[in-house]
């Protein structure tokens, strides 16, 4: 049963954009040629985006 009093879920363009950035960063993290500094920076950015998106 659908609750008609509940607000509808709104998926914004900003959320979509953030998810696509997150996917790209995760893909970059799998590259074997990354330096440790770059890997650390990417991992921090992934964590930040995950927190913003509530993941």
């Amino acid at each position: 049963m659908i609750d008609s009093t509940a607000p509808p879920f709104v998926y914004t363009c900003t959320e979509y954009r953030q998810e696509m950035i997150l996917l790209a960063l995760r893909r970059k993290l799998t590259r074997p040629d990354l330096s440790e500094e770059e890997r650390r920076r990417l991992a921090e950015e992934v964590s930040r985006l995950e927190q913003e998106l509530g993941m």
Side-chain angles (χ1 to χ4, degrees), residues 15-28:
E15 291 167 329
Y16 177 79
R17 182 178 180 273
Q18 286 178 316
E19 286 183 4
M20 294 302 106
I21 291 169
L22 180 59
L23 289 173
L25 292 173
R26 285 179 176 167
R27 179 175 282 167
K28 271 187 167 183

Side-chain angles (χ1 to χ4, degrees), residues 5 8 13 16 22-24 33 35 41 44-46 48 50:
T5 62
C13 292
Y16 177 79
L22 180 59
L23 289 173
D33 62 335
S35 68
R41 190 186 66 75
E44 287 174 2
E45 185 67 15
V46 166
R48 186 188 65 75
E50 286 174 341

Side-chain angles (χ1 to χ4, degrees), residues 24-54:
L25 292 173
R26 285 179 176 167
R27 179 175 282 167
K28 271 187 167 183
L29 274 173
T30 65
R31 291 178 44 192
D33 62 335
L34 286 178
S35 68
E36 283 305 312
E37 176 63 26
E38 184 70 8
R39 189 173 304 283
R40 183 192 58 76
R41 190 186 66 75
L42 287 171
E44 287 174 2
E45 185 67 15
V46 166
S47 293
R48 186 188 65 75
L49 274 173
E50 286 174 341
Q51 281 185 323
E52 281 184 24
L53 292 168

